[in-house]
């Protein structure tokens, strides 16, 4: 669930940010690209500081905080629905998901009872499932309602991450 949550968030910026900002909110093409850039840029920063945060607070707390940042950041952005708010929302989502995939992969590779690499393989397949399923789900919801409603999958993914983070290690003493 952590890996799928992370990939849903990543794919939302990749597949939908520019379209939502440009078509639905009227941003120019140059400005619309900033939704994706904000997500990836914040994710980069999150990966740079993520190990220090995990060492200090534990993987579980960092993942839960990330899920909360994803959920609150994107829900607020979609509620306000202005160009700056949505760009900030995608940045919050990128920062929130920065440590999720590495955490899921690390945890899966250490599962007791599985040969080394088996858990990692399963997580990799689940990530692909998230990348493959996310765009059609958002698109179906967008066709039925609007892209703004379709992008609610991002805050939902953040909430799923909060729940799934219980599987991760807490802070080491």
């Amino acid at each position: 669930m952590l890996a799928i949550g992370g990939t849903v968030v990543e794919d939302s910026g990749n597949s939908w940010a520019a379209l939502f900002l440009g078509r639905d909110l009227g941003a120019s093409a140059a400005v619309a690209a900033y939704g994706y850039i904000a997500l990836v840029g914040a994710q980069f920063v999150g990966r740079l500081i993520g190990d220090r945060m995990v060492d200090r607070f534990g993987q579980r707390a960092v993942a839960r905080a990330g899920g909360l940042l994803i959920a609150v950041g994107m829900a607020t952005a979609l509620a306000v629905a202005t160009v700056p708010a949505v760009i900030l929302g995608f940045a919050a989502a990128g920062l929130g998901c920065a440590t999720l995939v590495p955490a899921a992969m690390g945890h899966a590779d250490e599962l007791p009872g599985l040969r080394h690499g088996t858990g990692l393989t399963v997580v990799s397949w689940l990530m692909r499932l998230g990348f493959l399923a996310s765009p059609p789900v958002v698109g179906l919801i967008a066709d039925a309602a609007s892209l703004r409603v379709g992008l609610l999958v991002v805050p939902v993914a953040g909430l799923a991450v909060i729940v799934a983070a219980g599987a991760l290690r807490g802070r080491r003493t």
Side-chain angles (χ1 to χ4, degrees), residues 15-167:
S15 297
W16 302 107
L19 184 63
F20 182 60
L21 285 162
R23 187 191 68 188
D24 293 18
L25 299 182
S28 68
V31 172
Y34 283 111
Y36 176 67
I37 292 167
L39 185 137
V40 175
Q43 188 176 38
F44 173 74
V45 170
R47 294 245 168 108
L48 288 176
I49 63 172
D51 286 340
R52 282 180 274 167
M53 300 300 284
V54 168
D55 289 345
R56 183 169 184 174
F57 300 109
Q59 194 69 264
R60 183 182 308 137
V62 171
R64 283 191 173 142
L68 183 64
L69 192 55
I70 293 165
V72 171
M74 275 304 289
T76 302
L78 293 170
V80 173
T82 63
V83 171
V86 170
I87 290 171
L88 287 173
F90 276 110
L95 187 60
C97 78
T99 64
L100 298 179
V101 170
M105 288 181 160
H107 184 73
D109 201 36
E110 297 172 358
L111 287 173
L114 295 179
R115 285 187 4 230
H116 184 70
T118 302
L120 187 58
T121 301
V122 171
V123 166
S124 293
W125 278 101
L126 290 172
M127 286 174 49
R128 284 171 178 74
L129 178 66
F131 277 125
L132 289 172
S134 176
V137 168
V138 173
L140 286 170
I141 296 169
D143 281 347
S146 69
L147 184 52
R148 185 176 177 184
V149 174
L151 284 172
L152 286 173
V153 300
V154 177
V156 169
L159 295 175
V161 164
I162 293 169
V163 173

